[in-house]
Amino acid sequence: MSATSLGLLVVRVVAGVVFAGHGAQKAFGWWSGPGFAGWRGAMERMNMRPASFWAAVSTAAELGGGILLALGLLTPVATAALVGQTVVIVFLVHLPKGFWNAKGGIEYPLTLGAIALAVTATGPGSVSLDAALRLSYPPEVRLVVFVLGVIGGLVALAIPRMAPQQAAAPQPR
């Protein structure tokens, strides 16, 4: 195994497990996470409508994309899902808090997104399921799928805010 392959393996597995862990917090409530019902409520508070749909999308992006990235399987799909999710979390949640992670800023999700971009640019490396299965993605294909992930993230930011808000039911007096 070359040093490059080892480096890609370490970066891919660590970032993938971190993303998948965040997804598992959302899906199952593991590691003090909100679980799906709590995450759906958080999506409602962030005005992501319909909240159940966007909670499922974000959970699947992190959990599924993270697992795929760690395994090095369908890597362009994994990185596109993770970059789309990163676009949403950076702009929706972290950007208003500045740069540094200590104040909830973009430092941490930006770093994870940069890792996904780096894996997109290089491919998963020779120690991956893609390599074992002889799945090869030309750089142009990886770039197009990555751009689709960014566009997906931007759409996820825009569309929920265009949906009409439901009027609150009148309260009995």
Side-chain angles (χ1 to χ4, degrees):
M1 175 184 330
S2 72
T4 301
S5 293
L6 177 60
L8 280 170
L9 175 65
V10 169
V11 166
R12 222 187 53 243
V13 168
V14 169
V17 168
V18 168
F19 270 117
H22 281 276
Q25 287 180 306
K26 292 170 177 69
F28 311 118
W30 295 351
W31 307 296
S32 303
F36 193 76
W39 185 237
R40 184 181 60 243
M43 297 303 270
E44 288 172 357
R45 290 186 297 280
M46 289 185 267
N47 294 319
M48 297 292 286
R49 298 178 300 269
S52 292
F53 172 77
W54 291 111
V57 168
S58 67
T59 300
E62 288 183 357
L63 183 57
I67 290 169
L68 290 174
L69 181 63
L71 296 173
L73 179 62
L74 304 174
T75 309
V77 173
T79 58
L82 296 171
V83 164
Q85 175 69 357
T86 300
V87 167
V88 173
I89 62 178
V90 163
F91 287 99
L92 184 64
V93 178
H94 296 276
L95 188 62
K97 299 173 184 173
F99 182 78
W100 298 110
N101 188 55
K103 295 185 179 182
I106 66 169
E107 173 190 13
Y108 179 66
L110 181 65
T111 300
L112 289 173
I115 291 169
L117 173 58
V119 173
T120 299
T122 62
S126 63
V127 185
S128 65
L129 285 179
D130 281 345
L133 296 171
R134 291 183 164 75
L135 298 175
S136 178
Y137 313 100
E140 299 82 12
V141 169
R142 294 192 314 256
L143 177 63
V144 167
V145 175
F146 178 82
V147 168
L148 290 174
V150 171
I151 291 169
L154 295 172
V155 167
L157 284 171
I159 289 196
R161 281 150 185 72
M162 295 174 7
Q165 286 201 335
Q166 295 176 348
Q171 297 296 320
R173 293 186 189 240

